[in-house]
Amino acid sequence: MRKLLFVAVLFTVAYFKSYAQIEKNTIKINPLSALLRTGSIFYEHKLSEKTSVQLGAAFTGVKLSDTKFSGIALTPEFRFYPKQNALSGLYTAAFLRYQDYRVKDEESSAKGSYSSFGGGVLIGRQWVYGSAFTLDIFFGPSFNSGKVKADDGSNEPEINKVFDGFSLRTGIALGFAF
């Protein structure tokens, strides 16, 4: 009887251990965004064998010419993995992006805020290795449209239209699956 109980416990532990190794989430950072004085973090959750959702958050303090931007960007994303291997494989994605920045033009001393909304599509490839290390490479077109609002109501900061219009979203994200 003890042997049967031992085998049953061993089987149960092995079953749950193998089930626990099925990754349903990833958490990643984009190390290249640090070049732009920005920190990016992404959380992806598997919905089915072919789909997942991801939420990205970025915090920036970038300076372009005489204009300094500081604030956040949020990027929700829906991913489709055609080979039925969500979280690990080739994917296409649609995303939205909201940006909210404080703006300071150092040349004119004008201060204000900039907010924008946009979206786009991506193609990418994500690998989840046996150690649960994750590598995600992606690129695709995007479009953003924003508005500048001056703090004092009259002297709007001059912003470089880097954040408005069509652009290319690209990146490399490193992280872990769990």
Side-chain angles (χ1 to χ4, degrees), residues 59-62 68-72 100-104:
F59 307 91
T60 191
V62 68
K68 181 169 181 170
F69 293 85
S70 59
I72 65 165
D100 186 32
Y101 299 127
R102 295 290 306 147
V103 183
K104 181 178 180 186

Side-chain angles (χ1 to χ4, degrees):
M1 184 68 166
R2 283 185 181 173
K3 288 181 184 179
L4 183 60
L5 182 60
F6 177 73
V7 170
V9 168
L10 189 62
F11 177 76
T12 304
V13 168
Y15 173 78
F16 284 114
K17 182 172 175 140
S18 68
Y19 180 76
Q21 291 178 352
I22 299 171
E23 291 88 5
K24 292 191 174 191
N25 303 288
T26 63
I27 190 148
K28 303 169 276 193
I29 61 167
N30 184 345
L32 297 178
S33 64
L35 298 173
L36 298 173
R37 295 187 51 146
T38 300
S40 300
I41 187 165
F42 306 95
Y43 170 73
E44 183 177 1
H45 177 73
K46 180 178 180 177
L47 296 175
S48 71
E49 289 304 311
K50 287 188 170 191
T51 62
S52 71
V53 290
Q54 177 171 281
L55 180 62
F59 307 91
T60 191
V62 68
K63 184 176 178 182
L64 303 170
S65 299
D66 291 328
T67 307
K68 181 169 181 170
F69 293 85
S70 59
I72 65 165
L74 297 175
T75 309
E77 188 173 307
F78 178 81
R79 291 183 170 190
F80 176 72
Y81 292 81
K83 298 282 186 179
Q84 291 189 346
N85 197 9
L87 299 188
S88 186
L90 182 70
Y91 64 85
T92 59
F95 69 92
L96 298 174
R97 176 171 283 164
Y98 172 73
Q99 299 175 104
D100 186 32
Y101 299 127
R102 295 290 306 147
V103 183
K104 181 178 180 186
D105 185 336
E106 293 179 351
E107 186 176 308
S108 68
S109 297
K111 295 179 183 178
S113 62
Y114 172 78
S115 62
S116 74
F117 187 75
V121 294
L122 297 173
I123 187 164
R125 174 69 165 96
Q126 182 164 264
W127 293 267
V128 178
Y129 298 100
S131 63
F133 174 75
T134 304
L135 171 63
D136 185 5
I137 300 171
F138 56 89
F139 70 95
S142 67
F143 180 82
N144 285 308
S145 179
K147 182 188 284 188
V148 178
K149 183 177 178 185
D151 282 351
D152 63 9
S154 62
N155 193 14
E156 286 187 354
E158 288 289 321
I159 68 162
N160 187 338
K161 291 292 186 177
V162 166
F163 297 109
D164 279 354
F166 287 98
S167 64
L168 183 65
R169 179 180 172 209
T170 184
I172 296 174
L174 306 173
F176 292 96
F178 57 96

